[in-house]
Amino acid sequence: MSDANLERAGRLDTATLSDAMDKLGIAGQCLGIKPLDPGFRLLGRAVTFQYAAATRPAGSVGDYIDDVPPGSVIVLDNGGREDATVWGDILTSVSHRRGIAGTLIDGACRDTDLARALCYPVFSRSYSMRTGKDRVQLEASDIVVTIGDARVAPGDIVRGDADGALVLPRAQEDAILDAAEAIERAEASIRAALDQGMRLDDARKQQNYHLLQRGVAD
């Protein structure tokens, strides 16, 4: 199925989208979350999962994978824990084979060499070899979760690049994309003017640059 807004988001980098969100007063930047490789790009709609400390006996960490639709971004909220991984080589290989768009984790992953070798995009707070088995378990799915202080609901657009990852709330994605595209056009005009020898301050003034990211209530 065609997803016009997903395609629009894919043509914009996270810096431009972040500026648009700042302008609109929307907090969607996943602070502290970075790609395993700066060349990774993340784009898709969120499928969400939440973890909690393991019970006795412990529940499953990752048996959900076969039910995730291709093209989705798997979003894992492990509360920022870095002492118990929730993603590894088996999940990477299955996701890559099934056409999952990538994985976003507020927590740690492991087996990072395979993700890099397959060019499967993983964005996480950290990585470690220490397993999450018997330490954490899958608690809930298809709910609102928190990733790096950003609220992520099922179906939200997730976008990631070398600068990190952010989330466009579904109810506001049109406004965010409109604002981001306006910022992108203005910055392209500024770069073109600079190539023609214009001073930076004059080029910015011509495009009202200093108003581009200013909040709508300012």
Side-chain angles (χ1 to χ4, degrees), residues 79-97:
R81 285 187 65 168
E82 300 185 54
D83 62 341
T85 61
V86 292
W87 191 267
D89 57 351
I90 293 176
L91 290 171
T92 292
S93 61
V94 173
S95 295
H96 176 71
R97 183 168 64 248

Side-chain angles (χ1 to χ4, degrees), residues 8 24 36 38 60 67 69 127-128 146 159 171 174 191 205:
R8 292 170 70 192
L24 298 170
L36 291 183
S60 169
D67 297 320
Y127 51 87
S128 168
T146 302
R159 180 76 173 103
D174 287 314
R191 287 190 289 269
K205 183 177 180 181

Side-chain angles (χ1 to χ4, degrees), residues 20-176:
M21 296 173 83
D22 283 346
K23 178 179 180 65
L24 298 170
I26 299 168
Q29 299 90 347
C30 299
L31 303 179
I33 309 299
K34 298 291 185 289
L36 291 183
D37 186 286
F40 283 170
R41 298 294 180 267
L42 191 61
L43 178 67
R45 292 196 178 271
V47 176
T48 61
F49 300 91
Q50 187 173 62
Y51 284 84
T55 56
R56 293 293 181 265
S60 169
V61 176
D63 288 345
Y64 57 83
I65 194 67
D66 296 304
D67 297 320
V68 175
S72 302
V73 172
I74 295 171
V75 178
L76 306 178
D77 179 0
N78 195 25
R81 285 187 65 168
E82 300 185 54
D83 62 341
T85 61
V86 292
W87 191 267
D89 57 351
I90 293 176
L91 290 171
T92 292
S93 61
V94 173
S95 295
H96 176 71
R97 183 168 64 248
R98 295 192 62 248
I100 305 301
T103 302
L104 177 67
I105 311 168
D106 197 343
C109 62
R110 68 177 190 172
D111 301 314
T112 60
D113 282 347
L114 182 63
R116 295 187 184 98
L118 295 177
C119 296
Y120 178 80
V122 177
F123 285 62
S124 65
R125 186 169 294 279
S126 67
Y127 51 87
S128 168
M129 80 297 296
R130 193 172 192 236
T131 182
K133 295 183 181 72
D134 298 329
R135 295 188 173 100
V136 296
Q137 66 186 34
L138 187 61
E139 192 76 2
S141 61
D142 199 33
I143 64 168
V144 175
V145 298
T146 302
I147 306 292
D149 295 334
R151 182 184 188 275
V152 188
D156 287 349
I157 292 176
V158 179
R159 180 76 173 103
D161 57 24
D163 288 334
L166 46 70
V167 179
L168 284 64
R170 191 157 201 161
Q172 298 160 301
E173 64 189 41
D174 287 314
I176 295 169

Side-chain angles (χ1 to χ4, degrees), residues 185-198 203 206:
R185 287 192 297 270
E187 291 189 343
S189 296
I190 290 170
R191 287 190 289 269
L194 295 176
D195 289 342
Q196 296 300 314
M198 184 178 288
Q206 183 182 71

